[in-house]
Amino acid sequence: MEQGTIIKVSGPLVVAEGMNEAKMYDVVRVSEKKLIGEVIELRGDQASIQVYEETGGLGPGEPVFSTGEPLSVELGPGLIRSIYDGIQRPLNVIWEQVGDYITRGVDVPALDREKKWAFQPSSLKVGDEVSPGDILGTVQETPTVVHKILVPPGLQGVVEEIKGGEWTVEETVARIKTASGVEEVNMLQRWPVRKERPYREKISPDVPLITGQRVVDAFFPVAKGGTACVPGPFGSGKTVLQHALAKWCDAEIIVYCGCGERGNEMTDVLMEFPELDDPRTGDKLINRTVMVANTSNMPVAAREASIYTAITIAEYFRDMGYSVALMADSTSRWAEAMREMSGRLEEMPGEEGYPAYLPTRAAQFYERAGRVKCLGSDSREGALSVIGAVSPPGGDLSDPVVQATLKVVQVFWSLEDWLAYERHFPAINWLSSYSLYIDNLEEYFRREVAEDWADMRKGALKILQQEAELKEIARLVGVDALSPQDRLTLDTAKSLREDFLHQNAFHEVDTYTSFAKQYRMLRAILLFHNQAQKAFQDGMEFKKLASLPVKEEIARMKYIPEDKIQTFDRLEEKIKTQMMDN
């Protein structure tokens, strides 16, 4: 290993000289303690290194050792159920070795080298040609995840040997003869975190990522392989919303990245997921989850690496043909880590001190999402959906991180503190949020939900928009001065807000709503609205309309269990009957 010498230490930034052979983003070991760092700037023979561990006690004259390799993650069986720090060190293993706090210089492999996995070869035979992405075999990693062992990118040739049995991740499971010789393939791959994993082609995102959250699925859906941004001030429910999406979305693999958030929020996930029953499989949710935790009390530089670590792991499972959802909480902390390192490098600051390349880095991250045709001779498809929370100071949406994110994501869920103060959760503002996937998903909704779903969605949003306009008038002249039609609009909008959009993440029934139930709920509210308009034409007074007993049943329909959806037939019949009787 090439050796340099420290000449400057500034927090997580270390400058070393004598680094003539170093390259950008090479991993280095700093001092005799072998602290992990990464080269982020080169000037002559001087290298600026961001160190992913506490640098207290380091000084000039200490050695720096270059590995000549980029920051990479280990990919293979053992990822699921793991919790890693920002540079993929397994926190549970470190805790067993050194206790509650990570000791400096601790070096633990990301994947267990001793555990044996039952490798089941695919239908490939000796003499078969293979190319990158072909499936060599499978490992039943957890009860719900079949881990597919793929031919690594860049490897092409003829199978010389493939053997089933119980193997560790480093033992050879296949031998492939290539143009340059025989390559031994094991179940462990390494991949640079800043380099996108290859795929055959991107395809149109025309299938929704079903989340069970009504305001998301019905009004502002995100596609599988799509990108979404969740900005909001402190206390508006970003983390709870991301937890709910991680629990209930119909992705097959969840990668949860806690990037710079409070440690107790990550603890909630760690305590909750092993106990939660997975609605898709009936097994525990942790059995299809990977966690990356670099909380606010962990090294700041590692935050910058954590989302790249998480998305590389997510891409690996995407390449197997799985639908993967990555939750990043929060990209503001990632951007702040970049700002701190940029300041220490004395780079020219951009807006609010963030580096000028912030929009580029944000785009590079979100553009790694997508629905793709994977490498390999079969026709499997994979999808990687990315949902990033943003924490702008004071909820200011003009914050550079929010603006850089909005330029590249397709879905914007605007969380509002005033909705949170009114105890309306999820606190997503239905007037300022949007989804650019609506046109792509319209055919799916027409085919899988109902022919009139798109019209109902537009009708409901129109009523909510009219409510915002009427509230201004009502403040001036009073509600009683409005026409019965306008009062009905306000009443229906209130029902949409309280009976449909409001959702209790901690109620056993209300926490998740299928598309079938969402459709029936929305149809019931709009049926009441349409029937009331006809009743007004026949002379019904608004006061009598507001006191109909069926309104109480509409208010409680969110608590109807999924297996009793036929109850909505009776509810709709009551709406029609009570309107006619009055």
Side-chain angles (χ1 to χ4, degrees):
M1 293 196 301
E2 181 206 347
Q3 183 170 327
T5 307
I6 294 176
I7 60 172
K8 175 185 173 184
V9 180
S10 174
L13 178 71
V14 167
V15 180
E17 64 181 4
M19 304 288 289
N20 295 303
E21 302 298 319
K23 300 186 293 294
M24 279 291 285
Y25 301 123
D26 274 1
V27 171
V28 296
R29 295 289 183 161
V30 178
S31 82
E32 297 294 350
K33 295 184 177 68
K34 301 291 179 69
L35 308 185
I36 301 172
E38 185 183 22
V39 175
I40 56 172
E41 185 182 65
L42 291 167
R43 292 185 183 181
D45 72 336
Q46 293 187 2
S48 297
I49 300 158
Q50 62 178 3
V51 182
Y52 295 130
E53 301 182 68
E54 175 57 46
T55 58
L58 293 188
E62 296 193 58
V64 173
F65 307 93
S66 177
T67 65
E69 297 178 352
L71 184 66
S72 302
V73 290
E74 294 184 350
L75 305 169
L79 286 170
I80 301 293
R81 296 181 62 95
S82 294
I83 172 168
Y84 296 111
D85 73 351
I87 49 174
Q88 211 201 9
R89 294 183 297 182
L91 294 176
N92 51 341
V93 178
I94 292 174
W95 175 75
E96 289 169 5
Q97 290 186 3
V98 300
D100 291 343
Y101 293 95
I102 302 174
T103 304
R104 291 199 300 176
V106 67
D107 190 11
V108 181
L111 298 178
D112 192 334
R113 297 298 197 265
E114 306 298 324
K115 183 170 182 176
K116 290 186 177 288
W117 298 93
F119 174 73
Q120 181 68 41
S122 64
S123 57
L124 289 172
K125 303 182 296 295
V126 173
D128 286 351
E129 285 197 20
V130 291
S131 57
D134 283 345
I135 298 172
L136 292 172
T138 58
V139 169
Q140 189 71 47
E141 185 170 357
T142 69
T144 54
V145 175
V146 175
H147 195 113
K148 298 168 187 174
I149 307 301
L150 309 176
V151 176
L155 185 60
Q156 187 160 355
V158 177
V159 177
E160 269 204 351
E161 181 187 17
I162 186 166
K163 50 186 182 180
E166 301 253 331
W167 312 106
T168 66
V169 292
E170 290 185 306
E171 291 181 303
T172 301
V173 296
R175 289 160 55 88
I176 297 173
K177 186 176 183 180
T178 68
S180 58
V182 175
E183 292 277 350
E184 294 187 344
V185 179
N186 55 30
M187 293 187 280
L188 173 66
Q189 291 187 25
R190 293 182 64 82
W191 191 263
V193 297
R194 298 181 190 278
K195 182 181 177 184
E196 185 177 10
R197 283 180 64 86
Y199 49 83
R200 182 164 291 166
E201 65 174 292
K202 276 196 175 178
I203 51 181
S204 176
D206 56 12
V207 177
L209 182 71
I210 300 169
T211 67
Q213 310 306 300
R214 293 187 290 269
V215 64
V216 171
D217 289 348
F219 288 175
F220 312 110
V222 61
K224 280 186 179 177
T227 53
C229 166
V230 195
F234 302 110
S236 59
K238 292 185 298 297
T239 300
V240 173
L241 177 61
Q242 286 210 316
H243 288 192
L245 296 174
K247 290 175 199 172
W248 303 114
C249 78
D250 67 338
E252 293 157 304
I253 306 289
I254 302 295
V255 180
Y256 193 96
C257 178
C259 171
E261 286 301 296
R262 293 177 288 278
N264 58 348
E265 293 179 355
M266 201 69 209
T267 304
D268 285 345
V269 181
L270 291 172
M271 300 296 289
E272 202 173 352
F273 277 35
E275 303 299 325
L276 273 175
D277 290 324
D278 184 353
R280 298 181 65 255
T281 64
D283 195 32
K284 297 301 180 185
L285 188 60
I286 194 73
N287 285 334
R288 59 183 182 93
T289 303
V290 185
M291 296 185 190
V292 178
N294 207 93
T295 52
S296 53
N297 64 332
M298 294 169 76
V300 66
R303 288 185 205 171
E304 199 268 336
S306 62
I307 66 167
Y308 295 112
T309 297
I311 202 165
T312 305
I313 293 171
E315 286 176 335
Y316 175 64
F317 284 104
R318 176 209 68 190
D319 293 345
M320 297 180 197
Y322 288 123
S323 170
V324 187
L326 168 62
M327 311 293 168
D329 185 17
S330 108
T331 55
S332 289
R333 307 286 165 262
W334 165 71
E336 285 169 10
M338 273 200 296
R339 178 168 64 181
E340 178 168 342
M341 295 309 300
S342 175
R344 292 183 186 277
L345 286 168
E346 299 176 7
E347 294 174 336
M348 182 68 74
E351 191 177 356
E352 292 190 23
Y354 288 102
Y357 47 79
L358 171 65
T360 305
R361 293 283 177 86
Q364 287 172 344
F365 170 65
Y366 282 103
E367 286 301 327
R368 290 173 72 168
R371 184 164 163 236
V372 303
K373 287 186 178 176
C374 305
L375 295 178
S377 54
D378 61 355
S379 56
R380 67 183 184 273
E381 291 181 4
L384 170 52
S385 313
V386 176
I387 298 166
V390 187
S391 308
D396 179 12
L397 296 185
S398 66
D399 177 68
V401 184
V402 177
Q403 291 303 310
T405 305
L406 288 180
K407 287 173 185 173
V408 290
V409 300
Q410 302 292 296
V411 178
F412 170 56
W413 298 320
S414 177
L415 292 174
E416 301 282 359
D417 50 1
W418 62 268
L419 280 171
Y421 297 151
E422 291 178 3
R423 294 293 181 265
H424 178 104
F425 293 104
I428 294 175
N429 188 333
W430 48 88
L431 298 176
S432 55
S433 301
Y434 62 80
S435 170
L436 301 181
Y437 292 117
I438 290 296
D439 292 342
N440 293 45
L441 300 175
E442 200 163 293
E443 178 56 35
Y444 175 92
F445 290 137
R446 188 177 289 112
R447 184 179 68 249
E448 301 293 335
V449 183
E451 278 285 338
D452 58 344
W453 176 256
D455 294 334
M456 283 172 48
R457 174 187 176 276
K458 288 175 186 172
L461 284 172
K462 184 178 179 182
I463 290 169
L464 289 167
Q465 181 68 48
Q466 289 171 340
E467 179 201 32
E469 297 165 3
L470 288 170
K471 274 184 173 179
E472 293 298 318
I473 300 170
R475 284 194 190 98
L476 294 172
V477 299
V479 175
D480 294 337
L482 298 177
S483 69
Q485 290 285 357
D486 288 343
R487 292 184 69 180
L488 173 63
T489 298
L490 290 175
D491 189 68
T492 304
K494 181 183 177 184
S495 181
L496 284 168
R497 287 188 285 105
E498 296 180 359
D499 308 333
F500 185 77
L501 296 178
H502 182 277
Q503 192 165 355
N504 187 345
F506 301 101
H507 189 280
E508 60 180 359
V509 174
D510 196 32
T511 184
Y512 177 87
T513 309
S514 68
F515 258 123
K517 183 178 170 183
Q518 289 183 41
Y519 173 68
R520 298 305 298 271
M521 289 174 70
L522 198 55
R523 193 167 83 172
I525 294 170
L526 295 180
L527 175 66
F528 185 91
H529 181 79
N530 294 331
Q531 291 289 322
Q533 286 182 322
K534 294 177 184 175
F536 285 152
Q537 292 172 2
D538 296 337
M540 179 189 272
E541 294 182 358
F542 181 81
K543 191 181 294 183
K544 186 173 282 189
L545 176 79
S547 62
L548 291 178
V550 76
K551 284 185 67 66
E552 178 63 26
E553 292 192 45
I554 291 174
R556 298 201 58 77
M557 65 185 173
K558 64 172 75 172
Y559 303 118
I560 296 173
E562 296 282 346
D563 58 354
K564 295 184 178 176
I565 207 160
Q566 67 276 5
T567 308
F568 282 94
D569 293 332
R570 294 197 293 274
L571 176 61
E572 290 178 8
E573 195 57 44
K574 284 182 182 179
I575 291 171
K576 294 174 184 175
T577 304
Q578 291 185 23
M579 288 289 186
M580 286 190 291
D581 290 347
N582 286 276

